[in-house]
Amino acid sequence: MKIDITTIAGEAAGSIELDDSIFGLEPREDLIARMVRYQLAKRRAGTHKTKGRAEIARTGKKLYKQKGTGQARHGSARVPQFRGGGRAFGPVVRSHAHDLPKKVRALALKHALSAKAQDGGVIVWAEANASEAKTKSLKADFAKAGLANALIVDGAELNQNFALAARNIPQIDVLPVQGINVYDILRREKLVLTRAAVDALEARFK
């Protein structure tokens, strides 16, 4: 797949051939959905907690005698039936993460990249550099290029001026190529890859 290379301001800067084994697959929604579920489950804190009957600070003495009162039989005031008692089957602190094979995760990323390419949402930049860490000037360049909602993926090392200038712009995310992931690709309209990021991705999947 051949695609044009542009600058940050949207000016032409040549072209590049994208690998069809990464960007030219027929997207599988089931794989992508499994990966998104895996990512969202893994990042949940899992710190929800309620007290069970064993954790309630209340006497364990029998409330009243077993027989002869005409009331239901009760042995503890800590049980869920009573106000202030423990919660039955309440949430506990736990990890929501589940396993997904490494090969499935890698394939899901390829399919997410292919889906974005198929929709025309992939843009390739020569580089993602800024001479100074000024959000105003970078925002003006993005406006020229018509870039309002995007994930920008650079090589292994981010240009610090560019990263600092971009982090204050709403709906713009900047990641090194190691951090590229299915969920962030899908949640933004455009996927912007630098030439270094494309080279790194192709090296990673070969």
Side-chain angles (χ1 to χ4, degrees), residues 45-49 91-95:
T47 51
H48 43 11
K49 176 78 173 70
V92 295
V93 175
R94 67 186 179 93
S95 168

Side-chain angles (χ1 to χ4, degrees), residues 87-129:
R87 169 89 178 268
F89 307 113
V92 295
V93 175
R94 67 186 179 93
S95 168
H96 290 268
H98 58 267
D99 289 334
L100 194 64
K102 191 174 181 180
K103 287 183 179 179
V104 175
R105 301 200 303 264
L107 193 58
L109 179 56
K110 286 184 185 179
H111 280 264
L113 291 167
S114 295
K116 192 60 78 174
Q118 197 177 78
D119 294 342
V122 173
I123 297 168
V124 179
W125 282 354
E127 57 185 9
N129 291 340

Side-chain angles (χ1 to χ4, degrees), residues 43-58:
R43 77 179 193 177
R44 287 182 67 176
T47 51
H48 43 11
K49 176 78 173 70
T50 57
K51 287 186 178 182
R53 60 181 289 181
E55 299 167 299
I56 297 297
R58 185 179 281 183

Side-chain angles (χ1 to χ4, degrees), residues 23-91:
F23 296 91
L25 301 173
E26 188 60 38
R28 276 181 54 185
E29 290 183 9
D30 61 315
L31 276 178
I32 295 171
R34 282 178 70 187
M35 187 61 194
V36 170
R37 180 174 171 268
Y38 167 83
Q39 280 188 245
L40 295 183
K42 193 172 182 180
R43 77 179 193 177
R44 287 182 67 176
T47 51
H48 43 11
K49 176 78 173 70
T50 57
K51 287 186 178 182
R53 60 181 289 181
E55 299 167 299
I56 297 297
R58 185 179 281 183
T59 179
K61 181 178 181 294
K62 189 169 176 68
L63 294 177
Y64 42 76
K65 64 182 183 177
Q66 177 82 346
K67 303 174 76 68
T69 64
Q71 299 184 74
R73 298 168 291 184
H74 285 297
S76 172
R78 299 179 183 140
V79 292
Q81 293 95 309
F82 293 120
R83 182 186 182 91
R87 169 89 178 268
F89 307 113

